[in-house]
Amino acid sequence: MDVSLADIAAWLPDLTDGLTVSLIVTAGSLLLGIPLGLLLALGVQAQWRPLRGACLAFVEIGRGTPALVLLQFVYFGLPAVGLTMTSYAAAILALACNTGAYTSEIIRAGLQSVPHGQREAATAIGLSRLDELRYVLLPQGLRIAVPALLGFSILIFQGTSLCFVVALPELLSRAYEIGSTTFEYFPALLAAACLYAVICIPASILVGAVERRAGHYSRR
Amino acid sequence: MSDMLAILSGLPWTMALTAVALALGVFFGVPLALARRSRHAAVWLAAAAVIALIRSIPPLVWLFILFFGLGTGYIQISPFLAAAVAFGLIATANMAEIYRGGLMAIQHGQWDAAEALGLSRFHTFADVVAPQALRVSLPSAASYAIGLLKDTATASTIGVMELTFQANQLSQRTFSGLYAFGIAAAIYILISLPVAWLARSADSYLRTKVAR
């Protein structure tokens, strides 16, 4: 290995540019995916059967399909039906669908853990179904879902590495690119791995702390 | 129909990769979980660091490090072997965490009772705690196995000829990604269903054999 620290320092701006792309895709997927997850969570509890069936199908397909296959389906498959997207848009769309399917289960579990008496109380004081959701169920249910949603966000950040296959210039693609031009794959990929670890390890320690705090409150 | 068969030809590779990685994880996860629960700070800190490090790096990055990183100039390694080692490593860290969760679910009274009976530390673990902890771990292990099955799709990027790789080939040959990846997605869902069903029925049976 003839790579000095100076070489790695020279690669760093390129790698951090890639990291920025990864973080933007993560943010975009979560911003689209978590509201989608909320809608799906409400949809699978709907009374109207066609809506419930459609939401269930979306969740099961979204969770049952590997994110990589979903991504390639969106990027290489959808142009056949006239939906051609940039790799950025395809990445965010595919990961948002994945996020929606997984977070809907997390949010549903959160909503279901709100004690039934809360619903009865809301009905008793004459809240409409929408107000019951807005003021009673969501504030309590989402709070319970927060630690799991944060944990899932870390997984989606790691999942952005899959966008390598649609030629999105994210962190892994940049490291691979450096590897293919300098033929120093090992140090370049290791540098990228370090950047992933530098973000994910503190993030998961933080999520663990939030989890313990949430557990502390729920035990009261 | 022939397209379907073309993709299905990747199924044995997908299953083999999942099985090998899972077997490595189920086996090596045990010592790692025990090290994580060690009384010696140096041991459990090291185990915790190893688990955190393995899990903080995306599977695709592990694959690339092993296949392109080590493969160019260090040790030549076949795509399947690289993928088996990468996923085996990741499965080890994840199974260690699953076992740890199982051990934590065992009530303290079980240890107390074993001590009162005069069992040695080894027998307490091997005959009383571990059999129950394994039963508690099963549902998480099963959902992890399904997750692992889907994660192995990333091995297509380094040329393991599994399902997603075959779908990719078909998509390039027929210019219809919609069809190729649609079939692949359906196959993944179809294999996950029986595994999930088996795990659920095994779990409800094993649950009855855990003291609570």
Side-chain angles (χ1 to χ4, degrees), chain A residues 142-161:
Chain A
L142 286 183
R143 201 164 300 168
I144 297 168
V146 163
L149 288 177
L150 290 176
F152 184 78
S153 306
I154 299 179
L155 288 182
I156 278 292
F157 169 63
Q158 295 196 348
T160 58
S161 63

Side-chain angles (χ1 to χ4, degrees), chain A residues 63-64 72-73 77 102 158 161, chain B residues 55-56 60 150 153 168 178:
Chain A
R63 284 170 11 120
Q72 288 176 308
F73 180 82
Y102 277 95
Q158 295 196 348
S161 63
Chain B
R55 289 175 20 127
S56 69
L60 193 55
K150 289 181 287 167
N168 233 319
L178 199 65

Side-chain angles (χ1 to χ4, degrees), chain A residues 183-196:
Chain A
F183 220 66
E184 295 290 354
Y185 283 99
F186 191 59
L189 289 166
L190 227 46
C194 286
L195 285 178
Y196 279 109

